[in-house]
Amino acid sequence: MDEKTVTGWWQTALVRIRPGEIALRGYPIEQLIGSASFPQTIWLLLRGELPTPDEAALLEAALVAAVDHGPQAPSIAAARMAATCGVGLNNAVATGVNLLGDVHGGAGQQAMGMYTDIADCDLPLADAVAEYRRWHRYLPGFGHRFHPRDPRRDPLVGLVEDAVAKGVITDRYLKVAMEIERQLDPVPMNIDGATALIYASLGFPAELGRGLFVLSRSVGILAHAWEEQQSGVRIKGPIPRPLLADYTGPALRDL
Amino acid sequence: MDEKTVTGWWQTALVRIRPGEIALRGYPIEQLIGSASFPQTIWLLLRGELPTPDEAALLEAALVAAVDHGPQAPSIAAARMAATCGVGLNNAVATGVNLLGDVHGGAGQQAMGMYTDIADCDLPLADAVAEYRRWHRYLPGFGHRFHPRDPRRDPLVGLVEDAVAKGVITDRYLKVAMEIERQLDPVPMNIDGATALIYASLGFPAELGRGLFVLSRSVGILAHAWEEQQSGVRIKGPIPRPLLADYTGPALRDL
Amino acid sequence: MDEKTVTGWWQTALVRIRPGEIALRGYPIEQLIGSASFPQTIWLLLRGELPTPDEAALLEAALVAAVDHGPQAPSIAAARMAATCGVGLNNAVATGVNLLGDVHGGAGQQAMGMYTDIADCDLPLADAVAEYRRWHRYLPGFGHRFHPRDPRRDPLVGLVEDAVAKGVITDRYLKVAMEIERQLDPVPMNIDGATALIYASLGFPAELGRGLFVLSRSVGILAHAWEEQQSGVRIKGPIPRPLLADYTGPALRDL
Amino acid sequence: MDEKTVTGWWQTALVRIRPGEIALRGYPIEQLIGSASFPQTIWLLLRGELPTPDEAALLEAALVAAVDHGPQAPSIAAARMAATCGVGLNNAVATGVNLLGDVHGGAGQQAMGMYTDIADCDLPLADAVAEYRRWHRYLPGFGHRFHPRDPRRDPLVGLVEDAVAKGVITDRYLKVAMEIERQLDPVPMNIDGATALIYASLGFPAELGRGLFVLSRSVGILAHAWEEQQSGVRIKGPIPRPLLADYTGPALRDL
């Protein structure tokens, strides 16, 4: 067990660190600072190469679209409560991010998988979608329990259509998403379906759908934790203090 | 205890949500998508107003600079280990973010506090710095245990100087940081000192220094967790399995 | 939307709280303090009723058995690293617990599911196990990558046999586990298989297998975080600082 | 950098692991299983030696007393929300534990510090307490915002008095706590003050006050997460869905 074995256990293709030197995917950090945008840098680290400006613009729009959806979301609420408990802002953000699991943060990832499954199917598109619906009661990325029409759908789909027209991306996934929406009418695509359409069209694997959502929503989580921290409330519960939670267990009894 | 009291407990100035409507700080989300950059949106949520393009460019450079520093950092290592334990990518990112505490992620925030304390001091600048050093053995944001000269210092300070020359920001904090560096010579500013200089010059409160670092480093944390997850290693420890940790406690004994 | 609706959203059968009154599953807390053991209280909260002393003793042995397995486990290592980053002990413990996912902390839960599946099978036991093995390459709870024979197996199985002899539990799951071990010979049961045997025999649902492991291992996680915190090391990485992680990405290149 | 250096970086006095061997603080695990109670094992790992049965009984009572205080506590509420988001039970427990910070989980630790400061003071006890009150507006561990008299105070203080009478512990901290309560009359000791009295009397350092509270409250956090998970609710927010959070920011405006 020599040094080589130990360091090999912690090898990475992401970043090269030497005394006085930091390079991301081969690019010296001093060349990236001031030249690469934040979304380009995100893409570079996750994918290995820099995107074109048009690709980066599409990614950026998706990152902007999902930053926040208010304190009713459990991830935001948990981060706000954490901020009142005497932990650091980083701990509050981590608390919120930890909740973006399969159910709360996974719809985009699942929609990417669905788009790919349907796009890979041998059947004509309309049949492929119909067949998919036969086997899946719930189609991720479509419909919203709160918004009759998600206000983020139109601008995002519009940007995808523009990017297809400009040849930035192919229409492989756009066609799939449009056909699903047609068959589900009047249930429209939601934020998860629309960002999934962008991420899939840009070539991200489905698992990174959740990863990119995490980066985006971290912004809202941080902003809410910070707003709450400044309020001065201590130990904030889910409902104001005079309201007791209901008890539904056995009546009082002796040991 | 009526509806108003309960919702008032969860009030926010960040986002207005109605059926079919989402507005960040008053701006409809459909106007922001495709128009506002990701850094501008971060600024908008944290500060309440949109930055100018020049301000956003400075913020963006700082966010790019700190995305990653390799798997030797405990935040990255913990996220990589988490990724091998059968949890979601969001849980792995949360694990890394949770470690960006006072010691690992707080230097930028502390440097912002130091810059402000010195800038607010009545004494001439050189005396103020000297006095500050008399009372503080450790000056956050200067020196690096690994890099003789942090490669991120020069490009970041260069951008600050340009922004001062263009009138984007004042030289209030630049002068302080330069004087500290002069007195500590040959110990140069590091990434924390340089990003703190940018964040303070842009008017962010010190506490958000850590918040912005969290958003930046989340990118590296995600990329490393994802790289590790793809490796297929299961239950990754800090050192390869044949190496046992050392035991320094009492010899074997009977109960 | 009145008060009743809001509190109903947060109803629980676990604990009744009134001014001056706390009752767990109906029992006043002042009667439990000094009378109920810690394992009995764990059982009461999770199951709704108090266990007999014999049942509690069996649960207690399983909780003791799994408290720690050293700093090579990623959950422990992550907690130790967290403790050097300037976060609270609670944040360090949370970091470790967060890693006890499907792969690192789920084997016990999976073994409970396997025992139940086999016990529920119509076939004679030996055939049921053989059939199960035909469909599952990996049997959770058996074999250990480090211990040729897990030293926790014998005392735990011995306690189960005693409890069966005393009529505390039935031999339903013991027979299954023994038959699996017989067919896998010479691969013995490990800690996960043995604690799963206890938890299943005591009537816990499989999902709580992980929950009970979390409570048990939290002890080791806390003890390691505390030991590390006292060492004074700051920002502890996975390997000592002079060792660099290996870089396997592209060679240096210009933007 | 040889093997010795690397393993030394991960040394511990807690547990000795060899193939086929696990020993906690020198005691073979197979001797502890079935013999040591769970609280004794907690003490052994944290302190290095086994407690007497009387010491363990006092520790056990404190651990039982603090297991739960209902879903109004943010740690419990956050864990319940996590359980509805598609993450593992371990992630839900970690979410709750992460919130037991200085404000929500630190009162016991702070009370231990206060007891020690006063006990170490040269002044007569009544004067020491009066002097301490002069300098501290808030005395941790006394008064409760919900309970006029915390129902856990009397049984815990009673056990401490019994243990003093039996010579298990000295009255060093009991005298301090009683004098504080006398001077604050009619504000009584609360759960944090009472468990702090036990932990301090048993010789635990103040920092472990929070650690022991974490182990105790983890039980309630797990039980609530489990109860919520079984409810089938998905993406549970802090208030029921028809209630919108209040928006207090700028009116709608165009970009």
Side-chain angles (χ1 to χ4, degrees):
Chain A
M1 184 62 49
D2 59 11
E3 176 176 339
K4 199 154 178 309
T5 312
V6 176
T7 54
W9 181 242
W10 285 97
Q11 68 179 29
T12 178
L14 292 173
V15 59
R16 194 182 118 114
I17 311 265
R18 298 281 179 280
E21 180 196 314
I22 301 169
L24 304 183
R25 299 285 194 177
Y27 294 117
I29 190 74
E30 58 270 26
Q31 293 190 21
L32 294 167
I33 294 171
S35 298
S37 74
F38 193 38
Q40 281 180 307
T41 307
I42 292 170
W43 180 303
L44 174 66
L45 270 184
L46 292 175
R47 305 280 293 271
E49 298 297 334
L50 281 163
T52 65
D54 284 334
E55 290 171 327
L58 205 50
L59 171 62
E60 186 149 33
L63 291 171
V64 166
V67 286
D68 193 20
H69 199 261
Q72 185 62 309
S75 51
I76 299 288
R80 293 190 76 119
M81 295 195 298
T84 70
C85 291
V87 300
L89 259 183
N90 63 303
N91 304 122
V93 174
T95 297
V97 168
N98 214 31
L99 266 61
L100 302 174
D102 286 350
V103 171
H104 186 21
Q109 175 175 343
Q110 293 150 21
M112 289 171 77
M114 174 181 68
Y115 292 159
T116 304
D117 285 352
I118 293 173
D120 287 348
C121 180
D122 286 342
L123 297 172
L125 180 55
D127 297 346
V129 171
E131 189 70 12
Y132 190 93
R133 291 179 61 201
R134 200 162 294 132
W135 292 91
H136 300 82
R137 243 178 42 120
Y138 162 73
L139 267 58
F142 290 80
H144 200 285
R145 56 192 190 174
F146 185 78
H147 299 296
R149 186 174 185 87
D150 191 318
R152 297 162 292 192
R153 179 218 171 277
D154 289 356
L156 289 173
V157 171
L159 292 171
V160 170
E161 289 168 341
D162 293 350
V164 168
K166 284 182 67 177
V168 179
I169 54 175
T170 72
D171 64 356
R172 172 178 161 88
Y173 297 106
L174 177 61
K175 282 191 302 187
V176 171
M178 291 294 102
E179 176 60 24
I180 295 173
E181 202 174 46
R182 196 187 63 75
Q183 292 197 22
L184 293 182
D185 183 70
V187 175
M189 207 182 303
N190 63 28
I191 176 73
D192 297 311
T195 53
L197 170 56
I198 290 180
Y199 296 148
S201 297
L202 291 173
F204 285 93
E207 294 87 344
L208 283 182
R210 188 179 328 178
L212 291 165
F213 176 60
V214 162
L215 294 185
S216 172
R217 185 54 57 92
S218 289
V219 178
I221 291 172
L222 170 63
H224 279 279
W226 168 241
E227 185 187 50
E228 185 70 46
Q229 198 172 71
Q230 291 180 289
S231 76
V233 172
R234 288 164 64 93
I235 313 187
K236 179 174 192 163
I239 42 177
R241 206 159 306 136
L243 277 183
L244 281 171
D246 278 354
Y247 175 66
T248 61
L252 282 185
R253 50 182 174 171
D254 291 321
L255 203 58
Chain B
M1 183 62 47
D2 58 9
E3 176 177 336
K4 199 151 179 309
T5 311
V6 177
T7 55
W9 180 242
W10 284 97
Q11 69 180 29
T12 178
L14 292 172
V15 59
R16 193 182 119 114
I17 311 265
R18 298 282 179 279
E21 179 195 315
I22 301 169
L24 305 183
R25 299 288 194 176
Y27 293 116
I29 190 73
E30 58 268 28
Q31 293 191 23
L32 293 167
I33 294 172
S35 299
S37 74
F38 193 37
Q40 281 179 307
T41 307
I42 292 170
W43 179 305
L44 174 65
L45 269 183
L46 292 175
R47 305 280 293 269
E49 297 298 333
L50 282 164
T52 66
D54 284 334
E55 290 171 326
L58 205 50
L59 171 62
E60 186 148 35
L63 291 171
V64 166
V67 286
D68 193 20
H69 200 260
Q72 187 61 313
S75 51
I76 299 289
R80 292 190 77 117
M81 296 195 297
T84 71
C85 291
V87 299
L89 261 183
N90 63 303
N91 304 123
V93 174
T95 297
V97 168
N98 214 31
L99 267 62
L100 302 175
D102 286 348
V103 172
H104 186 20
Q109 175 176 344
Q110 292 149 22
M112 289 171 77
M114 175 181 66
Y115 292 159
T116 304
D117 285 351
I118 293 173
D120 287 349
C121 179
D122 285 342
L123 296 173
L125 180 53
D127 297 346
V129 171
E131 189 69 11
Y132 192 92
R133 293 177 62 202
R134 201 164 292 134
W135 292 91
H136 301 83
R137 244 177 43 119
Y138 162 73
L139 266 59
F142 290 80
H144 200 285
R145 55 194 192 173
F146 186 77
H147 300 295
R149 186 175 185 86
D150 190 319
R152 297 162 293 193
R153 180 220 171 274
D154 290 355
L156 289 174
V157 172
L159 291 171
V160 170
E161 290 168 340
D162 293 350
V164 167
K166 284 182 68 176
V168 177
I169 54 175
T170 73
D171 64 356
R172 171 179 163 88
Y173 297 105
L174 177 61
K175 283 191 301 186
V176 171
M178 291 295 104
E179 176 60 24
I180 295 173
E181 203 174 45
R182 197 186 63 75
Q183 291 197 21
L184 293 181
D185 184 67
V187 174
M189 208 183 300
N190 62 29
I191 177 71
D192 297 312
T195 52
L197 171 56
I198 290 180
Y199 297 148
S201 298
L202 291 173
F204 284 93
E207 293 86 344
L208 283 181
R210 186 176 329 174
L212 291 166
F213 176 60
V214 162
L215 294 184
S216 172
R217 187 53 59 91
S218 289
V219 177
I221 291 172
L222 170 64
H224 279 278
W226 169 241
E227 187 186 49
E228 186 69 48
Q229 197 172 71
Q230 290 179 289
S231 77
V233 171
R234 288 164 62 93
I235 313 188
K236 180 175 192 162
I239 44 178
R241 208 157 306 136
L243 277 183
L244 281 171
D246 279 354
Y247 174 66
T248 62
L252 283 184
R253 52 182 173 169
D254 292 322
L255 204 57
Chain C
M1 182 63 49
D2 58 9
E3 176 176 339
K4 199 153 179 306
T5 312
V6 178
T7 54
W9 181 242
W10 284 98
Q11 67 180 29
T12 178
L14 293 173
V15 59
R16 194 182 119 114
I17 311 265
R18 298 282 179 279
E21 179 196 315
I22 301 169
L24 304 183
R25 299 288 195 176
Y27 294 116
I29 189 74
E30 59 269 26
Q31 293 191 22
L32 293 167
I33 295 172
S35 299
S37 74
F38 193 37
Q40 280 179 307
T41 307
I42 292 170
W43 180 304
L44 174 66
L45 269 184
L46 292 175
R47 306 280 292 271
E49 298 297 333
L50 282 164
T52 66
D54 284 333
E55 290 172 326
L58 204 50
L59 171 62
E60 185 148 35
L63 290 171
V64 165
V67 286
D68 193 21
H69 200 260
Q72 186 62 314
S75 51
I76 299 288
R80 292 191 76 119
M81 296 195 297
T84 72
C85 291
V87 299
L89 261 184
N90 63 303
N91 304 123
V93 173
T95 297
V97 168
N98 214 30
L99 267 61
L100 302 175
D102 285 350
V103 172
H104 187 21
Q109 175 176 345
Q110 293 149 24
M112 290 171 77
M114 174 181 67
Y115 292 160
T116 304
D117 285 351
I118 293 173
D120 287 348
C121 179
D122 285 342
L123 296 172
L125 179 55
D127 297 346
V129 170
E131 190 68 13
Y132 190 93
R133 291 178 62 201
R134 200 163 293 134
W135 291 92
H136 300 82
R137 244 179 42 121
Y138 162 73
L139 267 59
F142 289 80
H144 200 285
R145 55 192 192 177
F146 185 77
H147 299 297
R149 185 174 187 86
D150 191 318
R152 297 162 293 192
R153 179 218 171 276
D154 289 356
L156 289 174
V157 172
L159 291 171
V160 170
E161 290 168 339
D162 293 349
V164 167
K166 284 182 67 176
V168 177
I169 53 175
T170 73
D171 64 355
R172 172 179 162 88
Y173 296 105
L174 177 61
K175 284 190 301 186
V176 171
M178 291 294 103
E179 176 60 25
I180 295 173
E181 202 175 46
R182 196 187 63 76
Q183 293 196 21
L184 293 181
D185 183 69
V187 175
M189 208 183 300
N190 63 28
I191 176 72
D192 297 311
T195 52
L197 171 56
I198 289 179
Y199 296 147
S201 297
L202 290 173
F204 284 94
E207 294 86 343
L208 283 182
R210 187 179 326 177
L212 292 165
F213 176 60
V214 162
L215 294 184
S216 172
R217 186 53 58 89
S218 289
V219 177
I221 291 172
L222 170 64
H224 279 278
W226 168 240
E227 186 186 50
E228 187 69 47
Q229 197 173 72
Q230 290 180 290
S231 78
V233 171
R234 288 165 63 93
I235 313 187
K236 180 175 193 163
I239 43 178
R241 207 158 306 136
L243 276 183
L244 282 170
D246 277 356
Y247 175 66
T248 62
L252 282 185
R253 50 181 172 171
D254 291 322
L255 203 57
Chain D
M1 184 65 46
D2 58 10
E3 175 177 338
K4 201 155 176 309
T5 313
V6 178
T7 54
W9 181 242
W10 284 97
Q11 67 180 30
T12 178
L14 292 173
V15 59
R16 194 182 118 114
I17 311 266
R18 299 281 179 280
E21 179 196 315
I22 301 169
L24 305 183
R25 300 286 195 177
Y27 294 116
I29 190 74
E30 58 270 27
Q31 292 191 22
L32 293 167
I33 295 172
S35 298
S37 73
F38 193 37
Q40 281 180 306
T41 308
I42 292 170
W43 180 304
L44 174 66
L45 270 183
L46 292 175
R47 306 279 293 271
E49 298 297 334
L50 282 163
T52 65
D54 283 333
E55 289 172 327
L58 205 50
L59 171 62
E60 187 149 31
L63 291 171
V64 165
V67 286
D68 193 20
H69 200 260
Q72 186 62 309
S75 51
I76 299 287
R80 293 190 77 118
M81 296 195 296
T84 70
C85 291
V87 299
L89 260 184
N90 63 303
N91 304 122
V93 174
T95 297
V97 168
N98 215 30
L99 267 62
L100 302 174
D102 285 350
V103 172
H104 186 23
Q109 176 175 343
Q110 292 149 23
M112 289 171 77
M114 174 181 67
Y115 292 159
T116 304
D117 286 351
I118 292 173
D120 287 348
C121 179
D122 285 342
L123 296 173
L125 180 55
D127 297 346
V129 171
E131 190 68 12
Y132 191 93
R133 292 178 61 200
R134 200 162 293 135
W135 291 91
H136 300 82
R137 244 178 42 120
Y138 162 72
L139 266 58
F142 289 80
H144 200 286
R145 55 193 191 175
F146 186 76
H147 299 296
R149 186 174 186 86
D150 190 319
R152 298 162 292 192
R153 180 219 171 274
D154 290 354
L156 289 173
V157 172
L159 291 171
V160 171
E161 289 168 340
D162 293 349
V164 168
K166 284 183 68 177
V168 177
I169 54 175
T170 72
D171 64 357
R172 172 179 162 88
Y173 297 105
L174 177 62
K175 282 191 302 186
V176 171
M178 291 294 103
E179 176 60 24
I180 295 174
E181 202 175 46
R182 196 187 63 75
Q183 291 197 21
L184 292 181
D185 183 70
V187 174
M189 208 183 300
N190 63 27
I191 176 73
D192 297 311
T195 53
L197 170 57
I198 290 180
Y199 297 148
S201 297
L202 290 173
F204 284 93
E207 293 87 344
L208 283 182
R210 188 179 326 178
L212 291 165
F213 176 60
V214 162
L215 294 184
S216 172
R217 187 52 59 90
S218 290
V219 177
I221 292 172
L222 170 63
H224 279 278
W226 168 241
E227 186 187 50
E228 185 70 47
Q229 199 173 71
Q230 291 180 289
S231 78
V233 171
R234 289 164 63 93
I235 313 187
K236 178 175 193 160
I239 41 177
R241 206 158 306 137
L243 277 184
L244 282 171
D246 278 354
Y247 174 66
T248 61
L252 282 185
R253 51 181 173 171
D254 290 322
L255 202 56

